[in-house]
């Protein structure tokens, strides 16, 4: 689920798939025969969360006659390629679309998504959302997106394995010491059972940065200095390495999704992933618990996160259409419980402060982390800029290179990319 900006050329193969998609291109208004304002909404929710957003859209359309939303899901793997095609004018596009927080700066700096400073405050109340959510939608102090949710890394654990090891199944670890204690207690290598399976690939894009920030470090400074080889980053990577080769609470050489398979099989007691995993864990029948990520770092509580935001292309100029979009967004703000039911924590106070939300199993645990989430650095094209980092992390966790050496090379490569 790493969101790298894809090239227009790579998306030509999917252009025909969405050739029939309608959208707005200049100042013309799109109205139905009865005078209803029609808006096209694109989102990458091609997983289990798609029906939840579809439910919200359908309920909005049924609630009134003035605005009708045409909701279209673009497959996750093709999403940003398809956006690039539409935003570059090579095919018709959407009037409003979902964009991840780590992509907003790239599109905002190219002036292809709308600055919403005039809309937020006039037509959308900023106070209706958690203040941290706006950080994922701001560029140089201006707002370019309206937040839907914040999705940080989450901590999952097998309650049955905890209980069998003499641990309290209702008391997940909260710090490094407790985490190591639980990992050792639940490891039985002879039976192929481990306390925690350290992934060498995804979702290290969330795990490693979380520990760096918990160590008090950062990945890239506000003035663009890459910090991949800082003492805080080296310590974070050496800690993950130690879980495999020193503490031996994790198997080595885990391939893509291997850590997830072990957790689902009951062969790994603890797992870290995003809130989007809830439906899969529920369907598996696993007796699992969910909690905020333990403070595995040495200085502070922090967790890496991304976010979903509503953005409007710069080409949408018609005021009637913009009014229709904000009418829809205000409805989602007040009626987003279906999105919470997908496992996510909406950024809307009307949702995450409600009794119904706080009676859910996972979602309140997601919202507990809102106060200390850390988003990706404020750079364009975070995906390509971070690629050297996660290649280095992979090599170290496969025991192919030392952490200091690998991270120094990653920092040099990323700095050259930024320059």
């Amino acid at each position: 689920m790493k969101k790298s900006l894809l090239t227009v050329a790579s998306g030509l193969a999917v252009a025909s798939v969405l050739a029939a998609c309608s959208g707005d291109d200049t100042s013309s208004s799109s109205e139905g025969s009865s005078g209803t304002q029609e808006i096209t909404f694109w989102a990458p929710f091609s997983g289990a969360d798609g029906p939840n957003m579809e439910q919200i859209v359908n309920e909005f359309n049924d609630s009134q006659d003035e605005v009708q939303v045409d909701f279209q899901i673009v497959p996750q793997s093709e999403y940003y390629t398809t956006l690039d095609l539409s935003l570059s004018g090579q095919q018709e596009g959407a009037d409003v679309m979902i964009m991840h927080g780590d992509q907003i700066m790239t599109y905002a700096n190219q002036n292809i998504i709308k600055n919403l400073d005039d809309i937020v405050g006039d037509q959308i109340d900023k106070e209706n959302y958690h203040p941290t959510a706006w950080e994922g939608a701001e560029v140089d102090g201006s707002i370019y997106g309206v937040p839907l949710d914040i999705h940080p890394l989450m901590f999952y654990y097998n309650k049955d394995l905890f209980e069998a090891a003499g641990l309290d199944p209702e008391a997940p670890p909260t710090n490094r010491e407790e985490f190591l204690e639980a990992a050792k207690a639940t490891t039985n290598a002879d039976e192929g059972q481990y306390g925690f399976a350290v992934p060498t690939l995804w979702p290290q894009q969330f795990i490693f940065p979380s520990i760096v920030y918990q160590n008090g470090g950062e990945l890239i400074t506000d003035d663009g200095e890459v910090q991949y080889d800082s003492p805080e980053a080296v310590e974070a990577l050496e800690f993950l390495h130690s879980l495999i080769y020193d503490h031996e609470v994790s198997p080595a050489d885990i391939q893509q999704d291997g850590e997830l398979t072990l957790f689902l099989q009951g062969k790994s007691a603890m797992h870290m992933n995003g809130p989007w995993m809830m439906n899969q864990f529920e369907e598996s029948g696993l007796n699992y618990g969910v909690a905020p990520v333990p403070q595995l770092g040495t200085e502070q509580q922090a967790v890496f996160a991304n976010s979903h935001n509503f953005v409007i292309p710069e080409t949408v100029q018609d005021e009637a259409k913009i009014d229709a979009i904000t009418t829809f967004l205000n409805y989602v703000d007040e009626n987003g419980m279906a999105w919470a039911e997908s496992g996510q924590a909406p950024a809307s106070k009307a949702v995450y402060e409600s009794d119904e939300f706080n009676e859910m199993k996972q979602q309140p645990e997601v919202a507990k982390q809102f106060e200390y989430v850390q988003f990706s650095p404020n750079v364009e094209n975070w995906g390509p800029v971070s690629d050297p980092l996660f290649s280095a992390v992979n090599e170290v966790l496969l025991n192919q290179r030392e952490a200091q050496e690998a991270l120094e090379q990653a920092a040099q490569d990323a700095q050259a990319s930024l320059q």
Side-chain angles (χ1 to χ4, degrees), residues 372-391:
Y372 52 80
V373 299
Q374 297 286 337
F375 294 113
S376 61
N378 292 320
V379 297
E380 289 190 37
N381 299 315
W382 167 239
V385 171
S386 67
D387 282 343
L389 172 62
F390 295 111
S391 292

Side-chain angles (χ1 to χ4, degrees), residues 318-374:
D318 177 52
E319 291 300 326
K321 177 156 287 190
I322 293 173
D323 288 345
I325 293 170
T326 57
T327 297
F328 170 59
L329 298 189
N330 282 322
Y331 179 90
V332 177
D333 170 31
E334 294 291 332
N335 300 274
M337 190 58 67
W339 190 241
E341 291 169 357
S342 72
Q344 300 279 6
S348 165
K349 292 179 181 178
V351 179
Y352 76 77
E353 291 182 347
S354 69
D355 291 340
E356 183 179 354
F357 177 87
N358 284 288
E359 290 170 357
M360 294 177 167
K361 176 179 180 177
Q362 167 170 290
Q363 294 83 339
E365 303 300 320
V366 180
K368 285 178 183 178
Q369 300 190 104
F370 280 4
E371 295 293 338
Y372 52 80
V373 299
Q374 297 286 337

